[in-house]
Amino acid sequence: MAYEVTATRRRPQKFEDLIGQEFVAATLKNSIQSGKIAHAYLFSGPRGCGKTSTARIFAKALNCEKGPTPCPCGECSACKEITKGSSLDVIEIDGASNTSVNDVRQIKDEVQFPPNSSRYKIYIIDEVHMLSTSAFNALLKTIEEPPEYIIFIFATTELQKVPATIKSRCQQFNFRLVPIEKIKEQLALAAAEINIQADDEALYWIAREATGSMRDSYTLFDQVAAFSESHITYEKIRDKLGLVGTDRLNALFEECASANPSGAEEKLNDFLQAGISIEQLITNSADYLRSLLLIKNGIAKESLLGQDPARFSKNVLDAWNSTQIERALSIFLQLYRDIRYSLSPRYEIDLAFSRLCWLKEYVSPSEVKVAVDQARSLLAGAPVQASPASGGSFGTNPPGGNPPGFNYGAENGQSGAPKEFHFAPLVSARKTEAPSFSGQGDFQEETQNFEPPVEQDDSPKAMPSNLQEAKEELAAAIGLKDDDGALASLVKYTDDWSFDGQKISARISDAFQKSRIDEKLGTIQNRALALWGKRILFEFYVPVEEKSHDAPVETPKEVDLLVKVFKGEIVGGKV
């Protein structure tokens, strides 16, 4: 008996055999049981997920001698002929090679004749999106009002290319990708049928590489079974197909995590000399980093990782945090896009692994923002507690130790969560003139005059009776205390201040400036409360221009005639 590939040998023959398409199978079975059979169906979905197989099963269910039945017997002549593809009443057409109007015209002529020996005459058109626009238009009338014994089943992998006029005349079924767990179960059954032992890790790898397609998984399974003899293992797949493997990647990335560029370059060179392609190494490295990121985020599902989480290096997981692993993954994703236009792919991958060796020093934009915010508070003279988002510190201590006046929280060589940041008091000269440093004695004499400034008294004081002085005082306080020069300028250039004991009203020049100052009313009121010790409301208004009530000027008839002829208007002046 001739060899039959696994995809053909295990093609579904009943609705129950469809893997991952339970919704489609249940809907078609219910429509058969209720007798609500449409005249046109459109099956869409990715490759290898069962569209053509479902069309054949549906044809058998309709033309079975015991039917129409949701469970075709598979023993009658109609079922056997459909299974073999020799039925005269079930016509399968390849849409990719029959794209013209003439091919559709032949179908229009054939539908006038009733089925030869079956209940329905069924046309299965695969890859229907390949038909030309004229061919689609020629089909419209036929599929909208066909004879009662005609059923059309269209299958396509690119639904967006099918015209809306065709879609509206068909019942649409969207086929889904098959989950990895179900593919792995079917591969295990296929291995048992041909008496081949297969490890779970190897079957997981095949199922993951199939990317949801049953046909792709069976095809890859046949290839792996051909060189694995009677036992399929992940190690055999790795060696024969030129994969890097998790163990090798662990060794390579451990060198990167320990910041050892020379060791990483040696291992990388060994892999490439062993015949592993650069593209394959990039792909396997990206998969490896993705798995590390999932594990780092608490995901240990084997179907997502492709293998046991325990196989990934603990040293790499401990050395890098989630942000750094995300950065590493983005490096390889960009590398895969860049190598096709690169001067040398080898240079590109060398550079990528060199960058990974310094990945511990990578700081994310969010960490930079936290550090900048802390530095700003330090410069303002306020003690700041380090935020957990920054990882506990600004990073390693700068060369030469900490600057005077700063405490980074890494004392005695120990790392960890820092203590409060301490800012040394600034010093200023009492004299207004710059000190002279003509000699050592002069220098010592002058430096003795430098003392820490006296802290400013922030206790509230009485509000000035002169509102102009009050405005100047408030604007200066906002600029100094709130560090908002723009708001201070807006307050300073307001006019006509009036105070009724509770509310200050002031005029502002235009509506735009009013909108800007209204957004900061809370800041103004809080600063006034801190400055004068009393809660004051503020209201800013824009002066309203008075409209002129002059009587309308009557224009001469000559002027009106000129305006009408030249389609103009009077914009000013006297008439």
Side-chain angles (χ1 to χ4, degrees), residues 44-118:
S44 63
R47 67 185 187 281
C49 60
K51 298 184 294 297
T52 305
S53 297
T54 302
R56 292 180 181 179
I57 296 172
F58 190 48
K60 286 194 293 185
L62 294 177
N63 285 339
C64 181
E65 293 180 358
K66 299 180 181 179
T69 173
C71 300
C73 64
E75 301 295 335
C76 62
S77 59
C79 290
K80 290 181 178 180
E81 289 175 356
I82 294 173
T83 302
K84 294 178 181 179
S86 59
S87 175
L88 297 177
D89 298 321
V90 178
I91 302 98
E92 294 192 28
I93 300 173
D94 179 17
S97 56
N98 298 273
T99 62
S100 66
V101 178
N102 293 332
D103 299 317
V104 174
R105 186 180 294 115
Q106 182 179 353
I107 297 176
K108 293 178 63 177
D109 295 338
E110 291 177 356
V111 298
Q112 305 302 324
F113 301 97
N116 183 41
S117 58
S118 303

Side-chain angles (χ1 to χ4, degrees), residues 319-331 355-368 390 394-395:
W320 292 338
N321 56 33
S322 298
T323 302
Q324 292 166 341
I325 296 176
E326 287 180 8
R327 173 63 176 170
L329 181 57
S330 67
I331 289 175
R355 288 173 177 171
L356 291 187
C357 292
W358 308 107
L359 193 61
K360 284 185 178 180
E361 299 184 9
Y362 171 74
V363 181
S364 67
S366 61
E367 292 173 327
V368 173
S390 65
F394 283 117

Side-chain angles (χ1 to χ4, degrees), residues 119 175 210 300:
R119 191 173 296 105
F175 286 67

Side-chain angles (χ1 to χ4, degrees), residues 427-431 433-452:
V427 294
S428 61
R430 288 186 175 181
K431 297 184 178 181
E433 299 178 356
S436 61
F437 302 104
S438 58
Q440 182 67 23
D442 293 340
F443 175 78
Q444 293 178 354
E445 179 181 357
E446 294 294 336
T447 54
Q448 291 176 358
N449 293 328
F450 287 87
E451 295 180 2

Side-chain angles (χ1 to χ4, degrees), residues 342-403:
S342 174
L343 173 66
S344 172
R346 176 61 190 269
Y347 297 167
E348 297 281 355
I349 197 169
D350 286 343
L351 179 60
F353 279 99
S354 177
R355 288 173 177 171
L356 291 187
C357 292
W358 308 107
L359 193 61
K360 284 185 178 180
E361 299 184 9
Y362 171 74
V363 181
S364 67
S366 61
E367 292 173 327
V368 173
K369 179 182 181 301
V370 171
V372 170
D373 291 342
Q374 291 175 341
R376 181 177 179 179
S377 299
L378 286 170
L379 294 176
V384 177
Q385 187 71 25
S387 172
S390 65
S393 66
F394 283 117
T396 57
N397 291 343
N402 295 335

Side-chain angles (χ1 to χ4, degrees), residues 494-514:
T494 56
D495 296 318
D496 297 339
W497 276 42
S498 62
F499 182 47
D500 60 3
Q502 294 182 346
K503 181 174 68 175
I504 291 178
S505 299
R507 179 173 60 86
I508 196 164
S509 59
D510 55 53
F512 174 71
Q513 292 185 357
K514 180 180 183 302

